[in-house]
Amino acid sequence: MTGTEADSEIDRRWEQLHTWVPYGFLGISIVLGIATADPHTGPAKWYTAWALIGAAVALQLWWHAIRFRRPDRGRTPTPAGTAYYVVRWALGFVLTWLSPFFAFYAASGYMDADELLPRRWRRLGLLASAVTVAGAQTGGMPLRSVLQWLVFVVLLVANSALQMGIAHLTEQEKQRSAERTETIAALRQALDENAALHAQLLVQAREAGVADERRRLAAEIHDTIAQGLAGIIAQLQVVLNTPDPELAEDHVGRALALARHSLGEARRSVHNLAPIALEHDGLPEALTKTVEEWGERTGIRAQFTVTGTAEQLHEEVAATLLRIVQEALSNAARHAQASRVGVTLSYLGEEVILDIRDDGTGFDLLAVPARSRAGGFGLDGMRARAERIAGSLTVESEPGLGTALSARVPLVRHDS
Protein backbone atom coordinates (compact mmCIF):
# COMPACT_ATOMS: atom_id res chain seq x y z
CA MET A 1 0.00 0.00 0.00
CA THR A 2 1.40 3.38 -1.02
CA GLY A 3 1.54 6.44 1.26
CA THR A 4 -1.40 8.04 -0.55
CA GLU A 5 -3.52 4.89 -0.21
CA ALA A 6 -2.65 4.64 3.49
CA ASP A 7 -3.65 8.28 4.06
CA SER A 8 -6.93 7.67 2.25
CA GLU A 9 -7.64 4.62 4.41
CA ILE A 10 -6.94 6.60 7.59
CA ASP A 11 -9.24 9.42 6.44
CA ARG A 12 -11.98 6.89 5.70
CA ARG A 13 -11.73 5.36 9.16
CA TRP A 14 -11.78 8.78 10.84
CA GLU A 15 -14.90 9.59 8.82
CA GLN A 16 -16.57 6.42 10.07
CA LEU A 17 -15.50 7.19 13.64
CA HIS A 18 -16.96 10.71 13.56
CA THR A 19 -20.17 9.37 12.04
CA TRP A 20 -20.92 6.51 14.43
CA VAL A 21 -19.26 7.43 17.75
CA PRO A 22 -22.01 9.95 18.73
CA TYR A 23 -24.59 7.18 18.22
CA GLY A 24 -22.55 4.81 20.37
CA PHE A 25 -21.97 7.35 23.15
CA LEU A 26 -25.66 8.27 23.15
CA GLY A 27 -26.61 4.58 23.41
CA ILE A 28 -24.18 3.99 26.31
CA SER A 29 -25.52 7.06 28.09
CA ILE A 30 -29.14 5.89 27.71
CA VAL A 31 -28.38 2.38 28.99
CA LEU A 32 -26.39 3.58 32.01
CA GLY A 33 -28.88 6.36 32.72
CA ILE A 34 -31.83 3.95 32.80
CA ALA A 35 -29.91 1.34 34.81
CA THR A 36 -28.98 3.86 37.54
CA ALA A 37 -32.19 5.90 37.54
CA ASP A 38 -34.03 6.47 40.82
CA PRO A 39 -37.22 4.34 40.81
CA HIS A 40 -39.04 7.15 42.60
CA THR A 41 -38.30 9.68 39.83
CA GLY A 42 -41.41 11.58 38.84
CA PRO A 43 -43.02 11.21 35.40
CA ALA A 44 -42.17 14.79 34.42
CA LYS A 45 -38.43 14.07 34.62
CA TRP A 46 -38.88 10.86 32.61
CA TYR A 47 -40.91 12.65 29.94
CA THR A 48 -38.29 15.39 29.76
CA ALA A 49 -35.45 12.87 29.50
CA TRP A 50 -37.13 10.89 26.71
CA ALA A 51 -38.02 14.07 24.84
CA LEU A 52 -34.40 15.20 24.98
CA ILE A 53 -33.18 11.73 23.95
CA GLY A 54 -35.59 11.76 21.02
CA ALA A 55 -34.31 15.20 20.03
CA ALA A 56 -30.72 13.93 20.26
CA VAL A 57 -31.52 10.92 18.02
CA ALA A 58 -33.31 13.17 15.52
CA LEU A 59 -30.33 15.54 15.53
CA GLN A 60 -27.92 12.68 14.79
CA LEU A 61 -30.10 11.36 11.96
CA TRP A 62 -30.34 14.85 10.44
CA TRP A 63 -26.58 15.34 10.56
CA HIS A 64 -25.98 11.83 9.25
CA ALA A 65 -28.15 12.58 6.21
CA ILE A 66 -26.25 15.80 5.54
CA ARG A 67 -22.88 14.01 5.76
CA PHE A 68 -24.16 11.31 3.41
CA ARG A 69 -25.30 13.83 0.78
CA ARG A 70 -22.31 16.13 1.16
CA PRO A 71 -19.27 14.25 2.52
CA ASP A 72 -17.21 17.45 2.48
CA ARG A 73 -19.49 19.03 5.13
CA GLY A 74 -18.00 16.81 7.78
CA ARG A 75 -14.45 17.80 6.96
CA THR A 76 -14.59 21.59 6.75
CA PRO A 77 -16.52 23.94 9.08
CA THR A 78 -19.94 25.02 7.75
CA PRO A 79 -22.87 26.87 9.34
CA ALA A 80 -24.83 23.60 9.47
CA GLY A 81 -21.92 21.87 11.22
CA THR A 82 -21.59 24.69 13.75
CA ALA A 83 -25.34 24.57 14.48
CA TYR A 84 -25.16 20.79 14.91
CA TYR A 85 -22.28 21.12 17.39
CA VAL A 86 -24.03 23.83 19.46
CA VAL A 87 -27.40 21.99 19.62
CA ARG A 88 -25.70 18.71 20.49
CA TRP A 89 -23.75 20.40 23.27
CA ALA A 90 -26.94 21.97 24.63
CA LEU A 91 -28.76 18.62 24.64
CA GLY A 92 -25.78 16.94 26.29
CA PHE A 93 -25.53 19.67 28.91
CA VAL A 94 -29.21 19.39 29.87
CA LEU A 95 -29.16 15.58 29.83
CA THR A 96 -26.20 15.50 32.26
CA TRP A 97 -28.38 17.41 34.73
CA LEU A 98 -30.83 14.49 34.53
CA SER A 99 -28.10 11.81 34.61
CA PRO A 100 -24.31 12.32 34.87
CA PHE A 101 -23.80 9.33 32.54
CA PHE A 102 -24.86 11.47 29.59
CA ALA A 103 -21.37 12.94 29.85
CA PHE A 104 -20.41 10.19 27.39
CA TYR A 105 -22.65 11.83 24.82
CA ALA A 106 -21.35 15.29 25.74
CA ALA A 107 -17.76 14.03 25.25
CA SER A 108 -18.45 13.68 21.52
CA GLY A 109 -17.59 17.39 21.31
CA TYR A 110 -13.95 16.53 22.01
CA MET A 111 -13.68 14.56 18.76
CA ASP A 112 -15.02 16.85 16.06
CA ALA A 113 -14.65 20.45 17.26
CA ASP A 114 -11.84 20.97 14.77
CA GLU A 115 -14.07 19.87 11.89
CA LEU A 116 -17.39 21.46 12.89
CA LEU A 117 -16.37 24.80 14.38
CA PRO A 118 -14.57 27.72 12.75
CA ARG A 119 -10.99 28.14 13.92
CA ARG A 120 -11.75 31.08 16.24
CA TRP A 121 -14.54 29.15 18.05
CA ARG A 122 -12.79 25.80 18.54
CA ARG A 123 -11.25 26.52 21.93
CA LEU A 124 -14.57 27.85 23.20
CA GLY A 125 -16.32 24.72 21.94
CA LEU A 126 -13.79 22.47 23.70
CA LEU A 127 -14.15 24.50 26.89
CA ALA A 128 -17.96 24.16 26.74
CA SER A 129 -17.67 20.38 26.36
CA ALA A 130 -15.14 20.27 29.20
CA VAL A 131 -17.61 22.15 31.45
CA THR A 132 -20.30 19.51 30.81
CA VAL A 133 -17.93 16.56 31.33
CA ALA A 134 -16.30 18.07 34.46
CA GLY A 135 -19.76 18.76 35.95
CA ALA A 136 -20.75 15.13 35.38
CA GLN A 137 -17.47 13.87 36.84
CA THR A 138 -18.06 15.98 39.95
CA GLY A 139 -21.32 14.13 40.61
CA GLY A 140 -23.77 15.94 38.38
CA MET A 141 -25.28 19.35 38.13
CA PRO A 142 -26.14 21.47 40.01
CA LEU A 143 -23.13 21.77 42.33
CA ARG A 144 -24.24 22.04 45.93
CA SER A 145 -21.08 22.50 48.02
CA VAL A 146 -17.82 24.36 48.02
CA LEU A 147 -15.94 21.05 47.77
CA GLN A 148 -17.86 20.14 44.62
CA TRP A 149 -17.01 23.52 43.14
CA LEU A 150 -13.31 23.03 43.92
CA VAL A 151 -13.34 19.55 42.42
CA PHE A 152 -15.25 20.92 39.41
CA VAL A 153 -12.64 23.64 38.83
CA VAL A 154 -9.76 21.14 39.06
CA LEU A 155 -11.49 18.71 36.69
CA LEU A 156 -12.39 21.54 34.30
CA VAL A 157 -8.78 22.69 34.14
CA ALA A 158 -7.54 19.11 33.66
CA ASN A 159 -10.09 18.33 30.94
CA SER A 160 -9.50 21.63 29.15
CA ALA A 161 -5.71 21.29 29.24
CA LEU A 162 -5.85 17.71 28.05
CA GLN A 163 -8.27 18.38 25.20
CA MET A 164 -6.61 21.59 24.06
CA GLY A 165 -3.25 19.84 24.05
CA ILE A 166 -4.70 17.02 21.97
CA ALA A 167 -6.38 19.58 19.68
CA HIS A 168 -3.04 21.35 19.19
CA LEU A 169 -1.28 18.09 18.31
CA THR A 170 -4.13 17.13 15.98
CA GLU A 171 -3.92 20.47 14.22
CA GLN A 172 -0.17 20.06 13.74
CA GLU A 173 -0.67 16.55 12.39
CA LYS A 174 -3.27 17.81 9.93
CA GLN A 175 -0.91 20.52 8.79
CA ARG A 176 1.86 17.97 8.28
CA SER A 177 -0.57 15.72 6.43
CA ALA A 178 -1.59 18.60 4.16
CA GLU A 179 2.06 19.44 3.50
CA ARG A 180 2.77 15.78 2.79
CA THR A 181 -0.15 15.65 0.38
CA GLU A 182 1.11 18.76 -1.40
CA THR A 183 4.61 17.28 -1.56
CA ILE A 184 3.27 14.02 -3.01
CA ALA A 185 1.23 15.97 -5.55
CA ALA A 186 4.29 18.03 -6.49
CA LEU A 187 6.39 14.87 -6.80
CA ARG A 188 3.74 13.24 -8.95
CA GLN A 189 3.62 16.31 -11.17
CA ALA A 190 7.41 16.31 -11.37
CA LEU A 191 7.38 12.60 -12.28
CA ASP A 192 4.80 13.26 -14.98
CA GLU A 193 6.88 16.14 -16.32
CA ASN A 194 10.00 13.97 -16.20
CA ALA A 195 8.18 11.19 -18.05
CA ALA A 196 7.07 13.66 -20.72
CA LEU A 197 10.59 15.09 -20.93
CA HIS A 198 12.04 11.59 -21.12
CA ALA A 199 9.68 10.73 -23.97
CA GLN A 200 10.61 13.96 -25.72
CA LEU A 201 14.32 13.25 -25.28
CA LEU A 202 13.83 9.75 -26.67
CA VAL A 203 12.12 11.21 -29.73
CA GLN A 204 14.88 13.78 -30.16
CA ALA A 205 17.58 11.16 -29.67
CA ARG A 206 15.88 8.91 -32.21
CA GLU A 207 15.64 11.79 -34.69
CA ALA A 208 19.27 12.74 -34.05
CA GLY A 209 20.30 9.12 -34.56
CA VAL A 210 18.40 8.94 -37.82
CA ALA A 211 19.95 12.21 -39.01
CA ASP A 212 23.43 11.07 -37.99
CA GLU A 213 22.95 7.75 -39.77
CA ARG A 214 21.77 9.57 -42.90
CA ARG A 215 24.88 11.76 -42.81
CA ARG A 216 27.06 8.71 -42.30
CA LEU A 217 25.49 6.86 -45.22
CA ALA A 218 25.69 9.96 -47.40
CA ALA A 219 29.39 10.34 -46.59
CA GLU A 220 30.01 6.65 -47.21
CA ILE A 221 28.23 6.78 -50.57
CA HIS A 222 30.22 9.88 -51.50
CA ASP A 223 33.50 8.24 -50.52
CA THR A 224 32.71 5.04 -52.39
CA ILE A 225 30.22 5.23 -55.21
CA ALA A 226 30.62 8.93 -56.06
CA GLN A 227 34.42 8.92 -56.03
CA GLY A 228 34.50 5.58 -57.86
CA LEU A 229 32.18 6.84 -60.56
CA ALA A 230 34.26 10.00 -60.88
CA GLY A 231 37.38 7.88 -61.37
CA ILE A 232 35.64 5.63 -63.88
CA ILE A 233 34.46 8.68 -65.86
CA ALA A 234 38.01 10.05 -65.88
CA GLN A 235 39.41 6.76 -67.20
CA LEU A 236 36.71 6.47 -69.89
CA GLN A 237 37.30 10.04 -70.99
CA VAL A 238 40.94 9.12 -71.65
CA VAL A 239 39.74 6.15 -73.67
CA LEU A 240 37.51 8.39 -75.78
CA ASN A 241 40.28 10.92 -76.39
CA THR A 242 43.17 8.56 -77.25
CA PRO A 243 43.76 6.81 -80.60
CA ASP A 244 46.20 4.36 -78.99
CA PRO A 245 44.42 0.96 -78.55
CA GLU A 246 46.89 -0.26 -75.93
CA LEU A 247 46.52 2.90 -73.85
CA ALA A 248 42.72 2.71 -74.19
CA GLU A 249 42.72 -0.93 -73.10
CA ASP A 250 44.86 -0.05 -70.10
CA HIS A 251 42.45 2.69 -68.99
CA VAL A 252 39.44 0.44 -69.57
CA GLY A 253 41.05 -2.13 -67.28
CA ARG A 254 41.59 0.54 -64.63
CA ALA A 255 37.95 1.60 -64.98
CA LEU A 256 36.77 -2.00 -64.51
CA ALA A 257 38.99 -2.47 -61.44
CA LEU A 258 37.76 0.79 -59.98
CA ALA A 259 34.14 -0.26 -60.62
CA ARG A 260 34.67 -3.59 -58.81
CA HIS A 261 36.38 -1.81 -55.93
CA SER A 262 33.54 0.75 -55.65
CA LEU A 263 30.95 -2.02 -55.70
CA GLY A 264 32.63 -3.74 -52.77
CA GLU A 265 32.85 -0.45 -50.87
CA ALA A 266 29.16 0.22 -51.49
CA ARG A 267 28.15 -3.17 -50.12
CA ARG A 268 30.24 -2.68 -46.99
CA SER A 269 28.93 0.86 -46.48
CA VAL A 270 25.36 -0.45 -46.53
CA HIS A 271 26.26 -3.02 -43.86
CA ASN A 272 28.24 -0.43 -41.84
CA LEU A 273 31.48 -2.43 -42.14
CA ALA A 274 35.03 -1.19 -42.46
CA PRO A 275 36.29 -0.03 -45.87
CA ILE A 276 37.39 -2.80 -48.18
CA ALA A 277 40.98 -1.52 -48.04
CA LEU A 278 41.04 -2.36 -44.30
CA GLU A 279 39.50 -5.79 -44.66
CA HIS A 280 42.89 -7.56 -44.77
CA ASP A 281 45.39 -4.74 -44.09
CA GLY A 282 46.16 -2.37 -41.28
CA LEU A 283 45.83 1.38 -41.70
CA PRO A 284 49.45 2.04 -42.81
CA GLU A 285 49.23 -0.66 -45.50
CA ALA A 286 45.78 0.54 -46.63
CA LEU A 287 46.99 4.14 -46.87
CA THR A 288 50.08 3.06 -48.81
CA LYS A 289 47.94 1.30 -51.41
CA THR A 290 45.41 4.14 -51.53
CA VAL A 291 48.07 6.80 -52.11
CA GLU A 292 49.92 4.71 -54.70
CA GLU A 293 46.75 3.87 -56.65
CA TRP A 294 45.64 7.50 -56.56
CA GLY A 295 49.04 8.64 -57.83
CA GLU A 296 48.96 6.13 -60.68
CA ARG A 297 45.42 7.09 -61.62
CA THR A 298 45.99 10.87 -61.57
CA GLY A 299 49.62 11.01 -62.66
CA ILE A 300 50.44 13.18 -59.62
CA ARG A 301 53.53 12.33 -57.58
CA ALA A 302 52.25 11.08 -54.22
CA GLN A 303 54.19 9.82 -51.19
CA PHE A 304 53.06 8.20 -47.93
CA THR A 305 55.13 8.19 -44.72
CA VAL A 306 54.66 6.62 -41.28
CA THR A 307 56.34 7.98 -38.14
CA GLY A 308 56.33 6.51 -34.68
CA THR A 309 55.47 2.95 -33.68
CA ALA A 310 52.50 1.74 -35.68
CA GLU A 311 49.70 0.13 -33.66
CA GLN A 312 46.53 -1.71 -34.59
CA LEU A 313 43.81 0.93 -34.32
CA HIS A 314 40.15 0.49 -33.57
CA GLU A 315 38.29 -0.13 -36.82
CA GLU A 316 36.24 3.07 -36.51
CA VAL A 317 39.37 5.20 -36.03
CA ALA A 318 41.14 3.51 -38.93
CA ALA A 319 38.11 3.83 -41.21
CA THR A 320 37.74 7.53 -40.33
CA LEU A 321 41.39 8.34 -41.15
CA LEU A 322 41.22 6.38 -44.40
CA ARG A 323 38.06 8.22 -45.47
CA ILE A 324 39.67 11.58 -44.67
CA VAL A 325 42.66 10.70 -46.87
CA GLN A 326 40.39 9.55 -49.70
CA GLU A 327 38.39 12.78 -49.55
CA ALA A 328 41.52 14.94 -49.35
CA LEU A 329 43.08 13.20 -52.35
CA SER A 330 39.85 13.50 -54.30
CA ASN A 331 39.75 17.24 -53.58
CA ALA A 332 43.41 17.61 -54.58
CA ALA A 333 42.79 15.84 -57.88
CA ARG A 334 39.79 17.99 -58.74
CA HIS A 335 40.78 21.40 -57.45
CA ALA A 336 44.43 21.73 -56.35
CA GLN A 337 46.26 21.26 -59.70
CA ALA A 338 49.12 19.96 -57.60
CA SER A 339 52.30 18.27 -58.80
CA ARG A 340 53.15 16.68 -55.46
CA VAL A 341 51.09 15.35 -52.54
CA GLY A 342 52.45 14.04 -49.27
CA VAL A 343 50.54 12.00 -46.67
CA THR A 344 52.04 11.39 -43.21
CA LEU A 345 50.60 9.19 -40.45
CA SER A 346 52.16 9.83 -37.03
CA TYR A 347 51.69 7.68 -33.92
CA LEU A 348 52.28 9.89 -30.85
CA GLY A 349 51.53 7.96 -27.68
CA GLU A 350 47.83 8.54 -27.03
CA GLU A 351 47.18 10.41 -30.26
CA VAL A 352 47.32 9.80 -34.00
CA ILE A 353 48.00 12.69 -36.40
CA LEU A 354 47.27 12.52 -40.12
CA ASP A 355 48.81 15.24 -42.34
CA ILE A 356 48.00 15.74 -46.04
CA ARG A 357 49.97 18.40 -47.94
CA ASP A 358 49.99 19.48 -51.58
CA ASP A 359 51.79 22.16 -53.60
CA GLY A 360 48.67 23.14 -55.55
CA THR A 361 46.92 26.43 -56.11
CA GLY A 362 45.55 26.67 -52.57
CA PHE A 363 42.51 28.73 -51.69
CA ASP A 364 41.18 31.41 -49.37
CA LEU A 365 39.78 29.78 -46.25
CA LEU A 366 37.30 32.64 -45.80
CA ALA A 367 35.93 32.20 -49.31
CA VAL A 368 35.13 28.48 -49.25
CA PRO A 369 31.68 28.04 -50.85
CA ALA A 370 28.93 26.14 -49.08
CA ARG A 371 28.41 22.55 -50.14
CA SER A 372 25.86 22.30 -52.95
CA ARG A 373 23.68 19.40 -53.96
CA ALA A 374 26.10 18.57 -56.77
CA GLY A 375 29.25 19.05 -54.71
CA GLY A 376 31.15 16.74 -52.40
CA PHE A 377 31.39 16.70 -48.64
CA GLY A 378 34.75 18.46 -48.65
CA LEU A 379 36.17 20.07 -45.55
CA ASP A 380 32.89 19.91 -43.63
CA GLY A 381 32.63 16.17 -44.20
CA MET A 382 36.22 15.53 -43.12
CA ARG A 383 35.80 17.70 -40.03
CA ALA A 384 32.55 15.94 -39.10
CA ARG A 385 34.26 12.55 -39.41
CA ALA A 386 37.10 13.60 -37.11
CA GLU A 387 34.76 15.13 -34.53
CA ARG A 388 32.58 12.00 -34.52
CA ILE A 389 35.47 10.11 -32.87
CA ALA A 390 36.45 13.01 -30.54
CA GLY A 391 39.09 14.35 -32.92
CA SER A 392 39.66 17.59 -34.79
CA LEU A 393 40.65 18.83 -38.23
CA THR A 394 42.66 21.94 -39.02
CA VAL A 395 43.24 23.41 -42.48
CA GLU A 396 45.98 25.80 -43.63
CA SER A 397 45.90 27.22 -47.16
CA GLU A 398 46.62 30.36 -49.12
CA PRO A 399 46.16 31.09 -52.81
CA GLY A 400 49.26 29.92 -54.69
CA LEU A 401 50.88 28.30 -51.62
CA GLY A 402 49.19 24.91 -51.52
CA THR A 403 47.08 23.30 -48.78
CA ALA A 404 47.85 21.43 -45.55
CA LEU A 405 45.27 19.41 -43.63
CA SER A 406 45.91 17.92 -40.19
CA ALA A 407 43.55 15.50 -38.44
CA ARG A 408 44.20 14.69 -34.77
CA VAL A 409 42.28 11.79 -33.22
CA PRO A 410 42.66 9.72 -30.04
CA LEU A 411 44.71 6.55 -30.36
CA VAL A 412 42.09 3.93 -29.61
CA ARG A 413 43.55 0.47 -29.94
CA HIS A 414 41.83 -2.43 -31.63
CA ASP A 415 39.77 -4.66 -29.33
CA SER A 416 41.61 -7.89 -28.86
Side-chain angles (χ1 to χ4, degrees):
M1 181 180 293
T2 63
T4 304
E5 292 174 348
D7 290 342
S8 299
E9 179 64 18
I10 292 173
D11 290 341
R12 188 182 65 83
R13 292 186 178 183
W14 269 111
E15 179 71 17
Q16 292 177 343
L17 190 66
H18 289 166
T19 300
W20 298 107
V21 162
Y23 286 105
F25 281 174
L26 180 59
I28 293 173
S29 300
I30 293 171
V31 172
L32 293 178
I34 294 174
T36 59
D38 186 355
H40 304 291
T41 301
K45 189 173 183 180
W46 280 103
Y47 292 150
T48 302
W50 283 114
L52 293 173
I53 291 171
V57 172
L59 178 67
Q60 292 303 138
L61 292 174
W62 171 77
W63 180 242
H64 189 103
I66 289 180
R67 290 177 71 97
F68 181 77
R69 290 196 304 268
R70 294 281 303 277
D72 59 312
R73 285 184 178 272
R75 298 178 183 176
T76 56
T78 61
T82 303
Y84 162 71
Y85 188 92
V86 172
V87 174
R88 187 184 64 187
W89 172 83
L91 290 172
F93 182 79
V94 176
L95 285 169
T96 55
W97 281 64
L98 302 178
S99 173
F101 287 106
F102 279 95
F104 284 103
Y105 181 56
S108 300
Y110 290 154
M111 296 182 52
D112 49 15
D114 58 327
E115 293 184 352
L116 299 176
L117 297 178
R119 186 180 185 88
R120 63 180 181 276
W121 300 110
R122 288 175 191 171
R123 294 185 182 277
L124 182 60
L126 289 173
L127 178 62
S129 297
V131 168
T132 304
V133 174
Q137 291 172 339
T138 306
M141 297 289 188
L143 304 177
R144 296 181 176 83
S145 66
V146 175
L147 179 60
Q148 279 188 314
W149 276 103
L150 291 175
V151 174
F152 169 76
V153 171
V154 172
L155 291 173
L156 178 62
V157 172
N159 279 278
S160 299
L162 178 62
Q163 295 306 318
M164 289 183 182
I166 293 175
H168 178 69
L169 294 176
T170 301
E171 186 174 347
Q172 287 187 329
E173 180 60 28
K174 284 189 174 183
Q175 183 177 358
R176 284 195 294 268
S177 178
E179 293 174 352
R180 185 167 59 250
T181 301
E182 292 177 358
T183 301
I184 292 173
L187 288 175
R188 183 178 291 109
Q189 182 180 359
L191 289 174
D192 293 340
E193 292 176 354
N194 286 339
L197 180 60
H198 180 67
Q200 182 179 357
L201 289 176
L202 286 178
V203 172
Q204 292 177 349
R206 189 179 299 111
E207 292 176 351
V210 170
D212 186 68
E213 184 64 11
R214 286 175 177 171
R215 287 192 296 269
R216 185 193 70 79
L217 288 175
E220 291 293 331
I221 292 172
H222 168 264
D223 291 339
T224 56
I225 299 176
Q227 290 187 10
L229 290 175
I232 293 171
I233 291 172
Q235 300 299 323
L236 294 179
Q237 284 178 339
V238 173
V239 173
L240 292 175
N241 296 327
T242 180
D244 187 350
E246 293 183 0
L247 182 61
E249 184 179 356
D250 180 59
H251 282 283
V252 168
R254 290 184 182 181
L256 288 173
L258 189 56
R260 294 189 185 97
H261 178 83
S262 298
L263 179 61
E265 288 283 10
R267 288 172 176 170
R268 282 158 178 77
S269 296
V270 170
H271 291 87
N272 196 24
L273 298 177
I276 191 171
L278 295 171
E279 186 173 7
H280 303 293
D281 296 325
L283 181 61
E285 294 79 8
L287 288 178
T288 299
K289 294 179 180 179
T290 299
V291 173
E292 288 179 354
E293 291 174 358
W294 179 84
E296 292 177 0
R297 188 169 64 252
T298 61
I300 300 174
R301 181 182 176 185
Q303 182 180 6
F304 173 68
T305 306
V306 179
T307 63
T309 302
E311 298 192 47
Q312 188 71 13
L313 299 177
H314 188 277
E315 60 182 14
E316 184 68 20
V317 176
T320 298
L321 294 176
L322 177 60
R323 294 304 190 203
I324 290 175
V325 169
Q326 290 174 336
E327 176 67 16
L329 293 177
S330 176
N331 290 342
R334 285 183 293 171
H335 308 298
Q337 301 178 14
S339 60
R340 294 180 58 187
V341 174
V343 179
T344 303
L345 180 66
S346 304
Y347 292 86
L348 301 176
E350 298 301 319
E351 191 175 46
V352 181
I353 299 178
L354 178 67
D355 295 304
I356 304 105
R357 302 174 305 281
D358 67 62
D359 61 354
T361 58
F363 59 92
D364 185 357
L365 292 174
L366 300 179
V368 177
R371 181 171 66 91
S372 64
R373 294 181 62 88
F377 278 74
L379 298 177
D380 291 339
M382 289 186 282
R383 183 172 289 107
R385 287 185 180 279
E387 292 175 350
R388 190 176 296 127
I389 58 172
S392 62
L393 179 77
T394 57
V395 182
E396 296 180 2
S397 183
E398 291 184 19
L401 298 179
T403 302
L405 285 80
S406 181
R408 307 172 71 97
V409 300
L411 194 157
V412 182
R413 295 169 177 83
H414 178 70
D415 296 333
S416 57

